[in-house]
Amino acid sequence: MGALRDLQRISFEAYLALEEKAQARHELVDGVLYAMAGASSNHNLLVTNVSGLLWNKARGSGCRVFSSDMKLRVDAFTSYYPDVMVVCETDKAEYYKERPCLLVEVLSPSTEATDRREKLAKYRQIPSLRAYVLIDSLSRRVEAYYREGQNWLYLDVMGEGSVPIPCPEMSLCLDEVYEGLDVPYERPADEA
C-alpha cells in the first residue's frame, strides 16, 4: 500500500502558470487539477454548429463567442473549459473569462454527471450568467436553465423545436443544432 499524502489545493493563479506549460488541458475544481479527455465526433460537431449559430447572431452586437479552448474562472479555486461561452460584458483577461451570460455544455457519457450536477451548481453562482444549456450528444434533446431574478427556470426540448437564448437574443432550432449528425430522436435504452 502506498503512503498517504496531503492533497494540496492550488490557486487559480498557480493553475494558469501550470496550464500555460502543460501538454494536456486540465480543469481546476476546488483547487484540484483534473485532466480533460478528448471528445467524440458528435461532440465536436455540436460545438461547431452551436458556436457558428451564436457567432452569426452575435456579430456586431458587442458579444463574443468562445468555444472549448477559453477558460472560465468561476472562483479563486475553480476553472473550467466550457464547450461554448458567450460574453457580452467587458471581460478583458486574455486567457480566461469571468463574466459569461451564456454557457453551453455538450453531454457525453463520461461528462454528463459532472455537467448536470457539479457544473450546474458552480455556474449558477456566476452573477452575469443568464442561461446554462445542455446539449445531448446521443439524442435530439436540449435542456436549459434560465436565471429569472433569484430563481432558475428549467426547459427540456426533445426531438423538434427550439430553445430561447437570452444573449445574443435568439432561438436555437434543434434542426440546426443537430445539422449533419445522425442522432436519434430518443436516447437508446442502453444509454438512458
Side-chain angles (χ1 to χ4, degrees):
M1 177 184 236
L4 293 175
R5 49 178 213 205
D6 285 337
L7 182 62
Q8 298 294 316
R9 286 187 358 154
I10 65 170
S11 68
F12 180 76
E13 290 73 21
Y15 161 74
L16 280 179
L18 289 171
E19 197 70 354
E20 186 176 316
K21 299 172 190 155
Q23 293 186 3
R25 295 185 315 162
H26 300 83
E27 292 186 323
L28 180 68
V29 182
D30 294 326
V32 179
L33 288 177
Y34 292 90
M36 295 181 64
S40 69
S41 176
N42 275 7
H43 185 283
N44 278 292
L45 288 170
L46 287 165
V47 168
T48 300
N49 286 353
V50 170
S51 294
L53 293 165
L54 291 168
W55 178 84
N56 193 42
K57 186 65 176 180
R59 292 177 68 192
S61 72
C63 294
R64 299 288 178 254
V65 179
F66 300 94
S67 59
S68 300
D69 286 331
M70 180 56 71
K71 293 176 221 41
L72 168 65
R73 180 182 179 171
V74 176
D75 59 40
F77 293 98
T78 304
S79 178
Y80 297 108
Y81 285 94
D83 289 322
V84 182
M85 173 171 36
V86 176
V87 177
C88 294
E89 295 183 30
T90 301
D91 201 339
K92 294 188 178 196
E94 184 66 22
Y95 295 102
Y96 63 92
K97 299 300 170 196
E98 296 180 285
R99 295 179 185 91
C101 60
L102 173 68
L103 294 170
V104 178
E105 296 287 1
V106 174
L107 302 176
S108 63
S110 63
T111 66
E112 184 170 3
T114 300
D115 293 336
R116 287 187 181 282
R117 290 191 284 277
E118 174 189 308
K119 288 185 180 180
L120 173 62
K122 292 281 190 180
Y123 289 168
R124 287 174 50 181
Q125 296 173 19
I126 301 170
S128 62
L129 188 65
R130 296 174 56 198
Y132 176 42
V133 176
L134 299 169
I135 300 175
D136 197 322
S137 65
L138 301 176
S139 65
R140 288 174 54 113
R141 181 179 184 189
V142 177
E143 299 167 81
Y145 295 86
Y146 301 96
R147 183 187 306 269
E148 188 163 297
Q150 297 299 313
N151 299 318
W152 285 85
L153 305 177
Y154 173 75
L155 176 66
D156 187 357
V157 179
M158 292 185 275
E160 295 182 355
S162 61
V163 175
I165 301 297
C167 58
E169 193 171 325
M170 63 180 292
S171 290
L172 283 177
C173 173
L174 268 64
D175 286 342
E176 293 177 323
V177 169
Y178 288 95
E179 185 176 339
L181 284 89
D182 185 22
V183 177
Y185 275 67
E186 292 185 26
R187 188 176 271 207
D190 61 335
E191 297 289 342

